[in-house]
Amino acid sequence: MVPEETRTPTRPPEIRPSTGSTAPATSLSRAWTTRLVVAGIVLAALNLRPAITSLGALLEEVRGGLGMSGSVAGLLTSVPPLCFAVFGVTAPRLARRFGPAAVVCAGMVAITAGLAVRPYIGGTAGFLAASALALMGIAVSNVLMPVIVKRWFPDRVGSMTGLYSMALALGTSVAAAATVPMTDALGGDWHAGLVVWAGLAAAAVLPWILLVRARGTDPDTGDRAPATPPDPAPCATQPAAGTTALAGDSVPAPTLAPEPTTASPIHGAKPLGTPATRPAPGGLRITRSRTAWALAVFFGLQATAAYITMGWMAQIFRDAGVAASTAGLLLAVTMVMGVPLAFVIPRLATRLPRQGPIVVVLGLCGLAGYAGLYLAPAAGAWAWALLLGISNCAFPLALTMVGMRARTGAGVVQLSAFAQSTGYLISIPGPLLVGVLYQHSGGWGLPLALMAGLMVPQIAVGILAGRDRTVEDEAAG
C-alpha cells in the first residue's frame, strides 16, 4: 500500500470506485460468516452436556444392563472431569496447529461418534471408552468456545457468553428431561434412549464444516487482508482478544489491526502497556498468580458439585420413591435454571468490582438444597431442584471471572486453560467418592454431607477469585 502512495499522488480518486464495488460483497461475507459463527456456537453449546445428563437420567438402567456396581458407576460419573482435564489441556496446542474452528469441528465429530457407538459397543470397558471419545470432543470445545467468542465478538463478550451459557444449560436440561420419555417411546430400550443424542451432535458438525471450508472463522488460519503480515503468535497464544483481523471477521479490520485498547470487554476498558500486550517469549507465569489458583480451585469445586448433580441427583430422587420420569424432570429443572441465570449472572458480575457476594448467594443456595435432600428428598423435591439449579450457576460466573481476571488475550487463554484443566483435575474424585460412599453406606446421608462440606471451601475460594485484580499483575509482581 505504501508503494502505491509513492508511485502516484492521485491514488485516492483512482481506487474509490474499486473500493466501493468490493465493500458490499465484503460486508455481506462478514455478515453471513458472523451468523454462521453464532449458529455454530449455539449448536456446539447445546451438545456440551447431553452426553452426561442423558446418562444420569438412565443410570439405573445402564447399571443393570452392564452389571455395574455403585463404585463402577461412580467411576463412570468421574470420567467427564477426567477427560476434561486430560484433553482440555491439549486444546491450545491443537488450536495453534489447526485453528480453533477446525478443532471444534473435530470435537463435534468426536461427540457424534462417541454417542453413536457407546450404547451398542458392549461391556463396561467399551461403554467407558466410547464415552471418553465423546467427552474428548466436549473437552476441547469447552476450552475453545470462550476463545472463539472473544475473538469474534470482542465488544459483546458478556452477551455472547450469556448466549453460549444459555444454550449449554438448555441442552443440559432438555437431555435430562427428554431422555426417559424418549426411551419409553422407543420401547423402553435404554440403548435407543442414549443414541438419539448423536443426531443433535451431528447437526452441530455442519456449521463448523462450512466455517472451516470458508476459512473465515480463525484469524490465524483464514484468509488475511493482503497488507496483513503473517501472525507470529499462533491462535492459542492470543486467541481471545480479537487482535488479528480477517476478511470475514465481524469487526472491521482497521479497529483490529492495532493492539486493543481494552484488555477484557467483560471487565471494561483498561489501558494496556507494551509489556502486557506483547508478553515475553516465555509467556505468562500463570502459576505465580494467587488469583489464578483461587479461580482454578473455585472452578474445580463447582465442577465437582455439577457433575455429582448431573450423575447422581436423579438417582437420589428415585431412591426416595420418585418415579423415573419425574426424577428426570427434576434434574431438568435443576439444569434449566442455568438458562435465564446464565444470561443474568455474567451481566451482573461485570457491573460489580468484586464478585464475592454472588459467590456467597450461590453457595448458600447449594447448602440449603443439600440439606433439603437429606431431610425431605421427596416432599420438597421441586424446591431442592430449584435451589441446586441456582447453585450450579457458579459455572457461568467462573467463565465470566476468567475474562475479568486477565488483562490481555494471551492472559485469558492461559487462565482459561489453567483454571479449567486444574479445576477438572480437582473435580475427578468427587463423583467417584460419592459412588463409593453410596454403595458402602447404603444411603445418601454421607454423600450429601460430602457435597455440603465441599460447598464451604467453594465459597471461600470464590471470594478470593472475585477480587478486582489481574493475573498479569500478580505474575509480574
Side-chain angles (χ1 to χ4, degrees), residues 8 57 99 120 122 192 208 247 351 387 459 466 472:
T8 169
Y120 303 104
W208 292 102
R351 295 175 183 177
L387 286 169
I459 294 173
E472 287 91 348

Side-chain angles (χ1 to χ4, degrees), residues 223-254:
D223 299 329
R224 292 181 176 86
T228 304
D231 188 357
C235 61
T237 304
Q238 279 191 323
T243 57
T244 309
L246 281 189
D249 209 333
S250 59
V251 182

Side-chain angles (χ1 to χ4, degrees), residues 267 270 290-299 348-360 397-398 400-402 404-406 415 457-471 474:
H267 195 219
K270 286 186 180 181
R290 294 182 179 178
T291 297
W293 280 107
L295 188 54
V297 175
F298 176 72
F299 195 97
L348 177 61
T350 57
R351 295 175 183 177
L352 297 175
R354 296 171 180 261
Q355 289 70 52
I358 305 177
V359 171
V360 172
L397 176 61
T400 305
M401 287 197 291
V402 166
M404 298 179 71
R405 298 288 87 87
L415 180 57
Q458 177 179 320
I459 294 173
V461 294
I463 293 173
L464 294 177
R467 294 176 299 174
D468 187 14
R469 55 190 63 191
T470 63
V471 294
E474 291 185 340

Side-chain angles (χ1 to χ4, degrees), residues 91-161:
R93 182 177 300 176
L94 292 172
R96 273 200 302 270
R97 181 166 183 179
F98 302 106
V103 177
V104 172
C105 182
M108 295 299 111
V109 172
I111 296 171
T112 304
L115 294 182
V117 302
R118 80 171 176 177
Y120 303 104
I121 198 169
T124 301
F127 192 92
L128 286 169
S131 296
L133 175 62
L135 293 166
M136 182 193 313
I138 295 174
V140 294
S141 301
N142 265 340
V143 173
L144 294 180
M145 277 292 103
V147 172
I148 289 174
V149 165
K150 209 167 186 186
R151 171 64 62 90
W152 269 90
F153 306 98
D155 56 341
R156 287 176 286 166
V157 174
S159 58
M160 289 303 300
T161 299

Side-chain angles (χ1 to χ4, degrees), residues 194-423:
L194 290 181
V195 78
V196 293
W197 298 106
L200 180 62
V205 175
L206 299 178
W208 292 102
I209 289 179
L210 294 175
L211 287 165
V212 173
R213 288 174 62 88
R215 300 177 63 82
T217 338
D218 180 22
D220 295 308
T221 59
D223 299 329
R224 292 181 176 86
T228 304
D231 188 357
C235 61
T237 304
Q238 279 191 323
T243 57
T244 309
L246 281 189
D249 209 333
S250 59
V251 182
T255 64
L256 293 180
E259 294 293 338
T261 56
T262 58
S264 171
I266 298 180
H267 195 219
K270 286 186 180 181
L272 298 182
T274 303
T277 307
R278 299 189 181 278
L284 176 67
R285 296 181 179 179
I286 196 76
T287 55
R288 296 179 60 180
S289 168
R290 294 182 179 178
T291 297
W293 280 107
L295 188 54
V297 175
F298 176 72
F299 195 97
L301 291 174
Q302 67 81 27
T304 300
Y307 289 110
I308 290 174
T309 300
M310 286 187 280
W312 289 107
M313 185 172 151
Q315 191 65 49
I316 294 174
F317 286 126
R318 293 179 71 170
D319 287 350
V322 178
S325 58
T326 305
L329 188 58
L330 286 165
L331 177 59
V333 168
T334 300
M335 299 297 110
V336 82
M337 289 300 297
V339 176
L341 292 180
F343 193 73
V344 172
I345 287 177
R347 287 172 169 253
L348 177 61
T350 57
R351 295 175 183 177
L352 297 175
R354 296 171 180 261
Q355 289 70 52
I358 305 177
V359 171
V360 172
V361 171
L362 297 181
L364 292 177
C365 287
L367 289 172
Y370 292 136
L373 284 178
Y374 177 76
L375 296 173
W382 296 101
W384 319 141
L386 287 171
L387 286 169
L388 291 174
I390 296 172
S391 178
N392 279 347
C393 288
F395 174 71
L397 176 61
L399 287 183
T400 305
M401 287 197 291
V402 166
M404 298 179 71
R405 298 288 87 87
R407 181 187 298 122
T408 64
V412 169
V413 73
Q414 284 189 258
L415 180 57
S416 178
F418 174 75
Q420 293 199 44
S421 298
T422 306

